[in-house]
Amino acid sequence: MTGHRRDDPEARAAFREFVRTHHPDVGGDPAEFAEGLARFRAGQSEVDDPRFDAPIRFVVNRRGVAAVLARLRRRRRPPRVQ
């Protein structure tokens, strides 16, 4: 499992087969499963996707009563420009 990338269909199939056969929930050995996951993660190359370099933004979407109250609070502000 060395040198595999997530977008490689053969690598994904090999990983899924490993998980199906060695997962502790289906009777596999937990230590062997953990070692296999470590080998898989060590063999992955770094992701070159620019989306992972962007800053993380959290947006609060208010719904229901909270949204109504937020709208009412916004209307009571004085104008910024005089």
Side-chain angles (χ1 to χ4, degrees), residues 10-28:
E10 293 174 3
R12 289 186 64 196
F15 177 71
R16 292 176 67 198
E17 180 63 28
F18 170 79
V19 171
R20 278 195 296 268
T21 57
H22 294 93
H23 196 279
D25 288 348
V26 293

Side-chain angles (χ1 to χ4, degrees), residues 5 30 61:
R5 290 188 50 99
N61 290 329

Side-chain angles (χ1 to χ4, degrees), residues 3-81:
H4 293 255
R5 290 188 50 99
R6 290 182 185 195
D7 56 352
D8 181 18
E10 293 174 3
R12 289 186 64 196
F15 177 71
R16 292 176 67 198
E17 180 63 28
F18 170 79
V19 171
R20 278 195 296 268
T21 57
H22 294 93
H23 196 279
D25 288 348
V26 293
D29 181 29
E32 184 179 345
F33 182 70
E35 290 172 11
L37 286 180
R39 282 193 311 266
F40 180 77
R41 289 180 180 143
Q44 284 182 340
S45 60
E46 290 209 14
V47 178
D48 295 330
D49 195 341
R51 294 178 298 166
F52 296 122
D53 294 333
I56 299 173
R57 292 181 47 217
F58 293 96
V59 179
V60 177
N61 290 329
R62 294 187 177 109
R63 296 174 189 251
V65 175
V68 172
L69 292 175
R71 285 187 203 113
L72 289 174
R73 283 188 202 120
R74 253 183 270 151
R75 291 181 185 163
R76 292 183 183 166
R77 290 184 193 164
R80 295 181 187 175
V81 181

